Each structure stands twice: as structure tokens, then as C-alpha cells.
Amino acid sequence: MSDQPSRNRIISDQEAEHITRLEELAYEVKVQEAMTSDPKALDASQTMKEALDMFRSLRISGAPVLQRGEIVGVLSIEDVIRSLMVPDLDSKVTEYMTSKVITIRDEELVVEALKIFVNKPIGRLPVIDENGNLVGMLTKGDITRAFLKALQRDTQEEEMRRYRASHLFEDIESDRTSLILRYNIKAGDFTHGGAASSNIKRALMRLGASPQIARRCGIAIYEAEINLIIHTTNGGVIRVEIEPHQISIDAYDYGPGIPDVEQAMKPGYSTASEAVREMGFGAGMGLVNISRCTDSMTLESTVGKGTRLRMKIFLAQQETVGEGYPAN
Amino acid sequence: MNLETIIKDLELSVLTERQDFSKITPSSGYTSDLLSCVMAGAPKHSIWVTLQAHGNIIAVAALLDLSAIIVTEGAMPDPATLVKANEEGITILATPKPTFEIVGRLWEMGLRAE
């Protein structure tokens, strides 16, 4: 069996999503948002001993070297190690520093810094402003931290959105508060069949409905939606009224109407055409499914005028939507 | 038993975007070509075996949170259906074999009705 990890394992959608988001972040976050500002710098007149003391006390692994305020080089811990091996700690930092300094502007995007880190053997970049003044230092670690912070912010925003929807009704004072969703369904539009029910199911989940309630609503509304597509002359409307304790669904149309409602309710009875049946619709089970998934259902129809199907699903005390009870 | 094993053993072609199928474990199986029966009977996270290949099978699978659809007898969903499937995150697998054989093989592999 293939329980062993496959050599060319395909990354999951979720992983792919994160990679894309990280790539996006590289183009969203500016260097100045990721850098460590208030950079610790060495002066060109200082010795390697002083540099070592500074690195040790500040727990940093490198610093730019300034001469009259201008960047003339970068000294890293590797340079200090080289001087220790001699030992030659009394030399000036200018003897051991890297003097070809690559800098980056604070206004640049992080992706530009990443390009430099990939192509050059350096671990830190001095950040300069428009006047060439040193304003910060940027390491790969700074970039990772900035990305993690941004990702966390994303998650919090989505959680906040879901939280707000699930508490929708709490702060609104009225004798009766409800949310009404309306969907126009076109006759014969099998391509979009199920779109309304999918959208309603998603809305209910956001409002904090339990998966079971969302599934029951989804099935009942799907069947009503398909009935409007198959049987109506000019389509119809699905109207869903969501209240904390109940969901009321109305599916109505303006014709042709059902001659014998009692017969229409019988399992297996259908007036769907042969073409529609070949697609797997018209099994005569739609209304049966609806009555199974809802707590109450009434079907009224007048030939020549239209049909109205009313469905209700009641929610238990701990299952109410929009009142802050988390789903499941 | 995961979806990767099923795809390999039954030689199914994957018509939708590839994902890590070894992480998807179907709960059970269901078969019918009548959509209302599927709506009534297919359990959550089950595999649905059908010879229907039109766009509406995606809506059904999405509403029921199915693990995958196996389309049998060489029926081929049109490109629009596959686009919709990818949007909804529904996996569609295809085979030239008849439904009876696919269901039998799935049962042999240990998949059951709920």
C-alpha cells in the first residue's frame, strides 16, 4: 500500500496556498516594515576588541561601520573570528570589515532584499533612506519574523469576520430580528443548479450554524431549486429568512402550477421529461427529501397561477445562528 | 484506506487538480444515477460512483461534502464542469469500467456503505 511517503509528493492545496501567500507578502511588505530600526553601528576608528565587546553585549552578529556618518563597510562575527585566530584584536575594524557594501533603500519591497540574499553570500543588509543615511539593518531572520506577523494578521482578520457574522444578531435590538436572502432561479438553467443552495449553506456556516443544520438546509433548498429549474414556466424565487431560532425557506413561482398536489408528494411520482430524467433528475424524490430534511413543509399550488413551497427548520437552544454559539 | 490507494489500484484517471490524495480517507461508498437518491443517501465524505457526468454532479457533491466522484463507463464531464469542480474543491475521477465492477472492487478493498 502507498502509506510510504512518495518521492515526488505533490503538495496539498493548503500548502500551495501558503506558498502563494508568502510570495505575495514578499511583494507587499516594505523593507522598512521588516528591518530592525535604530541600528547599532561601529565607528571606523574602533578596534576589533571593541567590536567583539559590542557584538557580545548586544547579542548581534554584525554591524555596519561608519566614517563621519557614512557607511564604509560591514563587520560580521566571522570577521571577528578571523582576527581572534591571529590574534589581532587591537587592529582597527576597517582592517577586517567587508568594504564593498551592498545597501538597500527603506522604500524597497522585501522581494528585492530576498534577491540579494539569494545571489550574494551576505546575511545582513544596511538599510538607507533617500539621503543615504543608515536607518536600519535587515537580516533573513527579520524577513521571516515580518512574514509570520503578517500571516498571523491575516488569520486574525478571517477569524474576526467569522466571529462578527456568528454574533450578527446579538447587538441588534428589536422585537424580532431576521436576515433575508433572496435568489432568482431561471427556468431550465441546469448549469447554475445548486448555486443558490451552496451559497445559502455557506452563509449559514458563517453565521455559526452546525454542520448538520447547514446540510439539512442545503439538501432541502437544492431540491426546491432544481424543481424551479425543471418545472416552472418563467423560473421562480427562493427566499430564506434566517432568525436565531428558525430558518424559513419559501420557494415560489408563477406557473404552471401543480394539478394534483397530493400525487406530487408521492415518492417516485414525477412529471419530468425524458431528457431531464436522463440527467438523473426527476426521480420523484425531491419533495420526499425536502420533507425529510425540514421540520415543517407546506405545498400550495393553483394551476395557471403558481406554486409556493414553505419549509421551516427549527434550531435548538444551543444551536441558534448569529448569537455567538460556535458551530459544532 | 486513502484516495491515493484507490486511484492507483482501480487505475482511475484524475480529471481535476491533483492534491495530496493520501490525506483523504473516504468514510464509505454510495452509488446511484438519480440525483435525489444521492441527496438522500450519500453519507458525508463518501465516494459517489455514477455515470452522470454533467455539471450538476458538482453541486450535489459540494452540498454533501463528498470525498470524490468516480464517473464510470467512460463518461466524460465537459471542461466547464471540471472548472466548477476545481472551484468547489471536488475531486472527479474517471474510468472506462462499469459501475458494478468499480463498486465491487471498492467493497473488496474494504470500503462499505454507511
Side-chain angles (χ1 to χ4, degrees):
Chain A
M1 308 287 270
S2 62
D3 278 344
Q4 302 160 326
S6 142
R7 197 176 294 255
N8 45 4
R9 194 178 74 91
I10 302 147
I11 56 165
S12 71
D13 279 4
Q14 211 173 4
E15 285 165 330
E17 205 170 86
H18 281 129
I19 289 170
T20 321
R21 183 65 193 126
L22 274 184
E23 281 169 349
E24 275 174 22
L25 281 174
Y27 289 89
E28 277 174 22
V29 179
K30 281 186 179 170
V31 166
Q32 58 190 6
E33 298 167 51
M35 71 183 189
T36 304
S37 42
D38 189 20
K40 303 290 174 281
L42 288 159
D43 190 84
S45 63
Q46 288 184 282
T47 62
M48 292 306 281
K49 171 81 173 58
E50 287 170 304
L52 173 62
D53 289 342
M54 184 179 113
F55 285 3
R56 220 166 22 194
S57 64
L58 297 174
R59 293 171 178 277
I60 54 175
S61 56
V65 179
L66 303 181
Q67 192 162 36
R68 286 182 293 276
E70 221 168 276
I71 304 171
V72 290
V74 174
L75 192 80
S76 73
I77 197 88
E78 289 84 9
D79 301 325
V80 176
I81 292 169
R82 274 198 296 128
S83 72
L84 271 171
M85 284 169 75
V86 178
D88 184 21
L89 282 173
D90 294 327
S91 283
K92 295 272 185 290
V93 290
T94 45
E95 302 271 316
Y96 284 90
M97 71 183 189
T98 309
S99 50
K100 266 193 190 165
V101 190
I102 302 168
T103 58
I104 191 159
R105 271 293 316 278
D106 52 357
E107 288 287 324
E108 291 278 15
L109 294 170
V110 158
V111 66
E112 297 305 327
L114 286 173
K115 282 182 201 161
I116 297 172
F117 284 139
V118 167
N119 294 316
K120 301 269 193 291
I122 55 171
R124 63 186 59 75
L125 274 171
V127 183
I128 53 167
D129 66 10
E130 53 189 344
N131 302 318
N133 295 322
L134 178 73
V135 289
M137 285 298 282
L138 185 73
T139 63
K140 291 176 204 167
D142 290 329
I143 296 176
T144 308
R145 265 189 297 281
F147 282 4
L148 284 173
K149 229 164 103 185
L151 283 175
Q152 201 178 4
R153 193 179 55 216
D154 286 357
T155 320
Q156 279 169 349
E157 272 169 19
E158 171 57 20
E159 268 171 20
M160 190 58 84
R161 222 172 285 144
R162 217 175 275 171
Y163 177 84
R164 276 197 201 125
S166 72
H167 289 256
L168 185 66
F169 295 134
E170 269 185 338
D171 298 330
I172 300 167
E173 277 188 45
S174 81
D175 290 331
R176 198 174 158 188
T177 306
S178 66
L179 178 69
I180 293 174
L181 315 174
R182 273 192 195 79
Y183 300 85
N184 298 320
I185 311 298
K186 283 190 202 141
D189 185 10
F190 287 98
T191 319
H192 295 105
S197 30
S198 296
N199 284 331
I200 295 165
K201 186 184 171 192
R202 210 164 294 148
L204 286 170
M205 296 291 276
R206 268 218 163 152
L207 285 163
S210 70
Q212 294 88 329
I213 291 290
R215 184 182 160 99
R216 281 169 60 196
C217 282
I219 293 175
I221 296 167
Y222 174 83
E223 295 290 2
E225 192 180 350
I226 294 296
N227 279 349
L228 293 176
I229 292 169
I230 297 177
H231 298 291
T232 56
T233 325
N234 292 309
V237 175
I238 291 177
R239 177 188 181 278
V240 184
E241 182 170 2
I242 302 165
E243 291 172 274
H245 297 90
Q246 65 177 11
I247 298 160
S248 313
I249 307 145
D250 273 21
Y252 56 91
D253 62 71
Y254 301 102
I258 303 168
D260 189 339
V261 168
E262 208 175 305
Q263 198 174 24
M265 293 291 293
K266 281 186 188 149
Y269 179 82
S270 176
T271 56
S273 70
E274 196 52 43
V276 167
R277 280 171 201 248
E278 266 174 28
M279 290 173 74
F281 299 107
M285 294 300 290
L287 293 171
V288 180
N289 274 353
I290 291 173
S291 98
R292 197 175 51 86
C293 287
T294 53
D295 294 311
S296 83
M297 154 185 179
T298 54
L299 180 61
E300 293 159 5
S301 189
T302 310
V303 174
K305 281 192 81 179
T307 301
R308 182 177 285 261
L309 174 66
R310 294 171 210 264
M311 303 158 260
K312 266 187 199 294
I313 289 178
F314 301 115
L315 307 178
Q317 193 64 44
Q318 294 300 312
E319 273 190 340
T320 58
V321 290
E323 291 193 319
Y325 288 113
N328 215 358
Chain B
M1 173 195 357
N2 62 52
L3 206 50
E4 192 176 293
T5 319
I6 294 172
I7 291 166
K8 222 169 76 190
D9 288 13
L10 269 57
E11 296 170 322
L12 305 171
S13 13
V14 181
L15 304 183
T16 44
E17 275 165 20
R18 289 219 156 244
Q19 38 181 307
D20 189 353
F21 294 123
S22 67
K23 290 221 176 84
I24 301 171
T25 312
S27 63
S28 52
Y30 185 85
T31 183
S32 174
D33 300 324
L34 294 176
L35 304 188
S36 281
C37 292
V38 182
M39 282 313 254
K44 201 173 180 176
H45 304 315
S46 61
I47 287 193
W48 170 27
V49 187
T50 180
L51 49 79
Q52 296 291 358
H54 57 78
N56 220 261
I57 60 174
I58 309 306
V60 172
L63 278 164
L64 297 175
D65 297 315
L66 302 185
S67 284
I69 307 172
I70 302 180
V71 178
T72 57
E73 305 258 352
M76 193 50 73
D78 59 23
T81 300
L82 297 179
V83 168
K84 203 166 143 194
N86 283 327
E87 273 170 19
E88 293 280 350
I90 303 294
T91 296
I92 303 186
L93 308 167
T95 176
K97 295 181 183 118
T99 300
F100 184 79
E101 186 178 339
I102 291 299
V103 172
R105 293 284 301 279
L106 288 172
W107 189 278
E108 244 175 35
M109 290 176 76
L111 204 66
R112 293 290 178 266
E114 195 171 64

